[in-house]
Amino acid sequence: MIHLNNYGWHDKLSQLKQESTYNTLTHGRISIVHRTCYEVVSENGLFQCELTGNMMYGKSDFELPCTGDWVLFQPFDEHKGIIVDMLPRERTLCRKKNGTVADKQAIASYVDKAFIVQSLDDNFNVRRAERFMVQMQEENINPVLVFNKADLGFDKQKVEEQIRHIARQIPVFFTSIHQSQTILQLRESISAGETVVFVGSSGVGKSSLVNALCEKSVLLTSDISLSTGKGRHTSTRREMVLMDGSGVLIDTPGVREFGLAIDDPDSLAEVLEISDYAASCRFKDCKHINEPGCAVLEAVSSGVLDRKVYESYLKLRREAWHFSTSEHEKRKRDKSFSKLVDEVKKRKANR
């Protein structure tokens, strides 16, 4: 028998289950999402499940189950089932769906921590780390910065200078699968029942880190490419694994782009430490671009605030504003459409 407490099941989830129409059915957590089915971990083992027609066709892509979601399902045959309901999501790591203006893609849900993994070669990119960090804090997910492949030659002082503003806010680890002490330190940062998602570009060693933390090969990894010197990208799906006596790890495919999907552009100021200076601006609604008496611009010109951090803030704020405005318009359209559908139904009923 599997103890779902190890997978993050708790009293609040139990209460949410009781509120569902299907509270007598089996509950479980989605460990892998395939194209047409889902692998669900339950107390009675692993089930291959499909969605009911209502769920499949009655929900948007974002509302469909993702890795980490808790679902209620009807078992049939041996280790097969039909998912009929999903418990309300919390702490969902999302990104803007590629090629859309305001559509979100759910990466993983019920996430406690997110390891932003970068490798200490030409993959190191502080701006990308800021982007991940902003999205996570929007959802109350605790970000952690992990610099992998620390056995490579790199200038640690230079790296630490570039991430000083990040390191003041979140934990930073330097890791290598060839240096067991660094893996031990990372493992000790994960508590029992805690869910940790790994995010980052391809080839930074996310799957190798998961294997090292689990002390066994639970995920496929590829050999190092002789032409690029990097691990070949193997993760093609979001996959959840359980660490012995500790937390739940979710590996994710590498992403080239991570579009912001946040509703509150103002939250950026706090994450990038702009708000420390903004409080002293002459005008409360200061946009920190060219206003007189702007303490942020003064901090940039005097060198107290890193110009690159300031430019990153402006870029991310534009992106976040564009998404939140488009999302607001989208919601208004959806609401109008729903009203129209309700009116048509009422007319039909009154005939």
Side-chain angles (χ1 to χ4, degrees):
M1 186 173 167
I2 293 171
H3 295 288
L4 288 182
N5 288 0
N6 295 333
Y7 282 89
W9 183 258
H10 49 70
D11 291 344
K12 188 181 174 187
L13 285 165
S14 197
Q15 191 180 329
L16 286 170
K17 180 183 176 178
Q18 292 312 309
E19 292 167 13
S20 168
T21 314
Y22 306 96
N23 57 24
T24 57
L25 295 184
T26 308
H27 62 270
R29 194 172 190 193
I30 291 182
S31 61
I32 303 176
V33 176
H34 298 287
R35 280 191 176 166
T36 56
C37 67
Y38 301 81
E39 288 187 26
V40 179
V41 180
S42 79
E43 288 180 337
N44 300 317
L46 194 64
F47 283 76
Q48 286 256 345
C49 294
E50 293 180 9
L51 298 176
T52 62
N54 275 349
M55 284 193 79
M56 191 183 294
Y57 302 111
K59 292 181 180 291
S60 66
D61 286 351
F62 178 72
E63 292 169 319
L64 293 175
C66 71
T67 305
D69 275 330
W70 289 94
V71 294
L72 305 180
F73 67 97
Q74 175 70 63
F76 70 90
D77 288 348
E78 194 174 343
H79 292 290
K80 289 191 175 179
I82 298 284
I83 296 171
V84 297
D85 199 10
M86 190 171 100
L87 299 186
R89 276 181 183 152
E90 282 185 14
R91 303 184 308 282
T92 308
L93 180 59
C94 306
R95 68 167 175 161
K96 185 172 78 70
K97 201 172 180 182
N98 287 347
T100 66
V101 179
D103 285 338
K104 287 196 282 193
Q105 179 185 14
I107 294 171
S109 69
Y110 279 93
V111 174
D112 299 295
K113 271 185 193 149
F115 285 174
I116 305 164
V117 185
Q118 298 198 348
S119 56
L120 288 158
D121 48 22
D122 56 4
N123 176 265
F124 170 53
N125 186 320
V126 68
R127 305 284 82 89
R128 195 183 297 132
E130 289 168 349
R131 180 177 285 274
F132 279 119
M133 191 171 137
V134 162
Q135 187 67 53
M136 285 150 193
Q137 297 206 344
E138 168 89 352
E139 281 290 337
N140 294 319
I141 295 167
N142 295 317
V144 175
L145 189 52
V146 179
F147 287 115
N148 198 26
K149 304 186 184 180
D151 53 301
L152 300 174
F154 71 100
D155 187 337
K156 191 171 184 180
Q157 189 179 343
K158 191 178 175 185
V159 170
E160 286 177 338
E161 276 173 17
Q162 290 186 64
I163 62 159
R164 195 177 290 132
H165 64 296
I166 293 176
R168 281 197 288 263
Q169 300 184 67
I170 69 171
V172 178
F173 290 88
F174 288 83
T175 61
S176 165
I177 59 168
H178 306 297
Q179 297 169 348
S180 56
Q181 187 58 34
T182 65
I183 300 299
L184 181 63
Q185 288 169 348
L186 194 62
R187 190 183 295 124
E188 286 173 349
S189 75
I190 303 167
S191 307
E194 195 169 53
T195 296
V196 180
V197 67
F198 287 66
V199 294
S201 306
S202 299
V204 296
K206 297 188 298 295
S207 301
S208 298
L209 267 181
V210 170
N211 287 339
L213 286 166
C214 291
E215 297 181 285
K216 58 186 175 185
S217 186
V218 289
L219 297 175
L220 287 174
T221 59
S222 289
D223 298 330
I224 297 294
S225 162
L226 294 174
S227 59
T228 65
K230 294 181 181 180
R232 293 192 187 93
H233 170 49
T234 52
S235 294
T236 55
R237 61 194 185 189
R238 297 168 192 99
E239 187 164 348
M240 186 168 77
V241 296
L242 182 67
M243 282 172 66
D244 286 344
S246 191
V248 174
L249 310 180
I250 298 177
D251 187 30
T252 64
V255 289
R256 283 199 189 93
E257 286 180 41
F258 190 85
L260 286 189
I262 65 175
D263 292 328
D264 180 18
D266 294 336
S267 64
L268 288 162
E270 200 165 325
V271 176
L272 295 179
E273 297 191 332
I274 301 293
S275 56
D276 295 357
Y277 308 101
S280 304
C281 289
R282 187 189 299 174
F283 303 110
K284 277 188 177 179
D285 60 348
C286 185
K287 296 287 184 285
H288 322 305
I289 297 171
N290 52 17
E291 294 87 346
C294 175
V296 173
L297 291 174
E298 198 177 307
V300 173
S301 61
S302 65
V304 179
L305 176 61
D306 187 329
R307 179 170 290 280
K308 286 181 179 174
V309 175
Y310 166 71
E311 286 169 356
S312 174
Y313 161 72
L314 291 183
K315 182 184 177 184
L316 293 176
R317 190 179 68 180
R318 273 196 304 273
E319 193 178 320
W321 181 84
H322 187 63
F323 175 84
S324 63
T325 307
S326 305
E327 174 78 355
H328 181 67
E329 288 301 317
K330 188 167 165 280
R331 280 181 195 153
K332 269 171 68 179
R333 283 199 303 273
D334 288 348
K335 216 172 178 181
S336 301
F337 182 70
S338 296
K339 274 185 181 175
L340 191 65
V341 170
D342 288 343
E343 281 174 21
V344 170
K345 281 180 181 174
K346 278 178 188 172
R347 281 182 204 151
K348 281 185 176 177
N350 292 333
R351 276 178 188 169

